[in-house]
């Protein structure tokens, strides 16, 4: 692969919610009237695709009122600092993510990272795509505003914070009850970029702080009863939260 991966905008993955997929990572745009909430911030080379995505849905950077982080791994904060500094947009995340947001490579993980490309070669193209999108040059972001479990955020779309730790210590999904949708971040994905496995699952231990805790947190996702799940990696799941959680539990602990 010699050129950066192309971005794909999929409109209306849920009512008023649009998915921007780039380098195997998804960010989401939630429209509410004339305003937008951005959920997660991809990798550094998502900057131009993000601006094109806003234009495609008839919005401008000035319409973005908040960036909410499900968690602060490097592949979810790639353009966060630019959104904050160049657009004047506040960045929100759980307090346990604030240090990681400022230092996006300083994250806990159960398993060593280096063996994965050797033991799971199917993941190499996915990881290569992320590298070309700037995965090794992600700037941190400071001044993150705190959110708390159960909060109904005062941002466009009014997402409800669903605390779902395990992938990171402060991971939060975002429930949109009026849209029957749940943005799961990496608490539950349909593509594991470390091993290329698909279907609902938790992420490999190379990027997950506590796999048993991540599996336990699936209960919080199921409890939302959401019909559509929008993960940080992989395609949307339209079979409902309960079925997705059952499938993730069946997949079990990733190797």
């Amino acid at each position: 692969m010699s050129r950066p991966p192309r971005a794909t905008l999929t409109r209306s993955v849920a009512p008023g919610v649009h998915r921007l997929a780039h380098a195997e990572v998804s960010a989401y745009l939630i429209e509410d009237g004339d305003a937008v909430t951005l959920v997660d911030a991809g990798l550094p080379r998502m900057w131009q695709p993000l601006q094109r995505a806003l234009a495609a849905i008839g919005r401008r950077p000035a319409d973005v009122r908040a960036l909410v982080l499900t968690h602060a791994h490097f592949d979810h904060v790639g353009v966060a600092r630019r959104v904050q500094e160049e657009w004047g947009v506040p960045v929100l995340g759980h307090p346990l993510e604030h240090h990681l947001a400022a230092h996006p490579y300083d994250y806990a993980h159960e398993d060593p990272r280096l063996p994965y490309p050797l033991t799971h070669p199917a993941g190499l193209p996915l990881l290569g795509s992320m590298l070309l999108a700037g995965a090794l040059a992600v700037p941190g972001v400071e001044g993150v505003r705190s959110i708390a479990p159960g909060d109904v955020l005062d941002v466009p779309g009014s997402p409800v914070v669903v605390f779902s730790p395990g992938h990171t210590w402060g991971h939060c999904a975002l429930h949109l009850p009026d849209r029957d949708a749940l943005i799961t971040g990496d608490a539950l994905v349909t593509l594991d970029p470390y091993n290329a496995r698909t279907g609902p699952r938790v992420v490999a231990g190379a990027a997950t702080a506590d796999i048993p805790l991540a599996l336990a947190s699936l209960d919080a996702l199921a409890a939302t009863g959401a019909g559509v799940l929008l993960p940080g990696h992989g395609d949307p799941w339209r079979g409902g939260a309960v079925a997705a959680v059952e499938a993730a539990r069946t997949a079990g602990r990733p190797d």
Side-chain angles (χ1 to χ4, degrees), residues 11 37 42 58 63 94 105 113 118 122 125 127 134 142 144-145 151 155 199 203 233 253:
R11 303 190 196 199
T37 293
D63 298 324
H94 190 279
Y105 301 102
R113 286 171 286 192
L118 299 176
L127 296 175
E142 298 188 359
V144 177
R145 301 183 184 181
D151 280 355
V155 302
V203 176
H233 303 278
R253 181 185 180 94

Side-chain angles (χ1 to χ4, degrees), residues 64-144:
V64 180
R65 305 297 166 78
L67 164 58
V68 183
L69 301 175
T70 60
H71 64 297
H73 276 162
F74 64 90
D75 55 332
H76 292 259
V77 300
V79 299
R81 184 192 288 184
R82 295 190 73 171
V83 167
Q84 181 193 64
E85 293 182 350
E86 298 186 30
W87 295 354
V89 171
V91 181
L92 288 69
H94 190 279
L96 293 176
E97 299 297 298
H98 291 190
H99 172 80
L100 184 56
H103 308 278
Y105 301 102
D106 187 18
Y107 59 89
H109 47 94
E110 278 204 358
D111 299 336
R113 286 171 286 192
L114 289 179
Y116 268 80
L118 299 176
T119 58
H120 297 83
L124 279 172
L126 309 184
L127 296 175
S129 178
M130 295 171 71
L131 288 173
L132 287 172
L136 296 181
V138 176
V141 60
E142 298 188 359
V144 177

Side-chain angles (χ1 to χ4, degrees), residues 216-229:
S217 287
L218 294 174
D219 289 341
L221 306 185
T224 67
V228 178
L229 272 60

Side-chain angles (χ1 to χ4, degrees), residues 201-223:
R201 62 191 59 249
V202 299
V203 176
T208 295
D210 186 323
I211 291 174
L213 180 59
L215 290 168
S217 287
L218 294 174
D219 289 341
L221 306 185

Side-chain angles (χ1 to χ4, degrees), residues 12-85:
S12 301
V13 289
V17 183
H18 314 288
R19 175 191 177 213
L20 177 60
H22 179 251
E24 314 304 337
V25 186
S26 294
Y28 294 92
L29 299 165
I30 306 171
E31 288 192 278
D32 189 353
D34 61 356
V36 174
T37 293
L38 172 64
V39 178
D40 289 338
L43 289 159
R45 290 190 178 174
M46 186 181 272
W47 184 242
Q48 294 299 329
L50 174 59
Q51 294 177 75
R52 291 194 294 269
L54 285 169
I57 64 171
R59 303 297 175 197
R60 302 172 300 148
D63 298 324
V64 180
R65 305 297 166 78
L67 164 58
V68 183
L69 301 175
T70 60
H71 64 297
H73 276 162
F74 64 90
D75 55 332
H76 292 259
V77 300
V79 299
R81 184 192 288 184
R82 295 190 73 171
V83 167
Q84 181 193 64
E85 293 182 350

